[in-house]
Amino acid sequence: MVKTVIFDMDGVLVNSEPLHHEVSLLHYKDLNIEVSNEVFATFTGNSNKMIYQKLKDKFELPFEIEDMIVAKNKLFVEAFDKKEDLHLMPGVKDLIIDLHKNGMQLIVASSSEMEIIDKIFERFDLNQYFTHKVSGNDFPESKPNPAIFLKAASHSKAQIKECVIIEDSTNGIKAAKAAGIFCIAYKSEGVDSQDQSLADVIIYDYKDLNFEKIRNINS
C-alpha cells in the first residue's frame, strides 16, 4: 500500500520547462555558445550543476560553475516574476489536495535549486501540502543518479516499497528505477522529447489518478 508520493517539479507540478528553455537560451547567448534543442532535451532532469559542468567541458568555458548558475537563476527569477501565464499542470492541484486530505505524505524532489523550488511553491501555495522539499543541487550527481530520490524516500514515514514517484523526464525516470521505486510518468501535451518507456505507468491526464488508485498500486 502506497503511503508517500514523491513529485518531480518542473514538467510535473508546474509547466516551467518552456521558461527554463527560454531563460537558458538567453544565458547561452550571454556565454556566446550555441546549444541545439536536441542537446538541451538531454539536460531535462539534470541539476544546473551537472548541466553547466557539461557546458564548461564542451565549450571550454572560463567561468566558474557556481557563477554561471547564479547568473542563470537570476535570469529565471526575473522572468518568473514577470510571467503571469505560468500555471500548474492541469489537474495536479486537485490530485495534491485529494492525496493530502486522505493522509498521503507528499514530498517534492526537484533538480532545481531550493531558491527556485521555494519561488514556485510560494506562488502556487503548495507548502501546506508537502512535508519535505529536496533539491538536486545538494548532491554531487543529478538524475539519472538515484541519490535525490533515495534522500526523498528517507524522509518518508513509510518504507521505500510504499513510495511512488511521479516524473516526466528520461533522466528522472531512470533515477526512479535505479532507486527501486515505482514510477508513474506524466506525459504532458506536446512534449515528445523525453523517453518514458522505463516507467511502470504512463498517464496523460491527472484525472487518471486519485488517492485510491495510487494507494493500491503495489497491492
Side-chain angles (χ1 to χ4, degrees):
M1 185 179 294
V2 174
K3 296 179 181 177
T4 302
V5 179
I6 301 169
F7 285 85
D8 176 43
M9 186 177 72
D10 298 302
V12 170
L13 290 179
V14 63
N15 187 24
S16 51
E17 294 289 4
L19 184 59
H20 275 291
H21 192 193
E22 176 186 324
V23 167
S24 294
L25 290 178
L26 286 174
H27 194 217
Y28 299 158
K29 188 175 181 180
D30 291 342
L31 296 172
N32 199 29
I33 60 176
E34 289 188 17
V35 179
S36 68
N37 289 339
E38 290 75 20
V39 171
F40 187 83
T42 68
F43 295 162
T44 306
N46 283 174
S47 66
N48 277 326
K49 189 185 297 182
M50 179 174 281
I51 291 168
Y52 281 99
Q53 182 64 65
K54 290 178 180 178
L55 293 174
K56 183 178 175 71
D57 294 342
K58 179 178 176 62
F59 294 100
E60 300 181 349
L61 296 172
F63 313 108
E64 294 297 325
I65 291 170
E66 285 303 318
D67 291 340
M68 290 190 283
I69 292 172
V70 168
K72 190 258 184 174
N73 282 346
K74 184 173 183 292
L75 289 172
F76 182 88
V77 168
E78 289 172 356
F80 179 83
D81 288 340
K82 293 175 184 175
K83 194 169 182 64
E84 296 180 359
D85 61 341
L86 187 67
H87 304 291
L88 291 175
M89 290 301 190
V92 75
K93 187 72 171 282
D94 290 337
L95 175 62
I96 288 169
I97 292 170
D98 179 44
L99 295 175
H100 182 262
K101 77 177 183 181
N102 282 288
M104 189 76 74
Q105 182 184 14
L106 306 182
I107 297 171
V108 66
S110 169
S111 295
S112 292
E113 287 76 19
M114 192 59 72
E115 173 191 14
I116 305 301
I117 297 172
D118 285 340
K119 269 277 185 186
I120 287 174
F121 267 56
E122 287 164 13
R123 180 161 174 171
F124 296 108
D125 195 25
L126 296 176
N127 284 306
Q128 61 184 308
Y129 305 110
F130 287 75
T131 63
H132 297 82
K133 294 179 285 190
V134 184
S135 166
N137 193 52
D138 295 334
F139 304 91
E141 294 185 55
S142 65
K143 304 169 188 177
N145 186 287
I148 186 173
F149 286 139
L150 292 173
K151 180 64 175 180
S154 76
H155 291 306
S156 172
K157 61 186 179 183
Q159 300 178 58
I160 196 167
K161 66 181 180 180
E162 296 172 311
C163 297
V164 161
I165 291 169
I166 302 181
E167 256 288 357
D168 67 315
S169 72
T170 304
N171 289 320
I173 292 165
K174 286 180 178 178
K177 298 312 295 177
I181 301 175
F182 190 97
C183 183
I184 299 171
Y186 172 66
K187 192 171 186 67
S188 58
E189 186 177 353
V191 176
D192 297 314
S193 61
Q194 301 300 305
D195 178 7
Q196 298 181 329
S197 60
L198 291 179
D200 296 287
V201 174
I202 299 176
I203 63 159
Y204 300 85
D205 192 324
Y206 278 116
K207 291 179 182 177
D208 295 334
L209 293 177
N210 57 37
F211 170 72
E212 289 296 335
K213 287 181 180 178
I214 291 179
R215 182 181 67 166
N216 297 315
I217 277 174
N218 293 329
S219 299

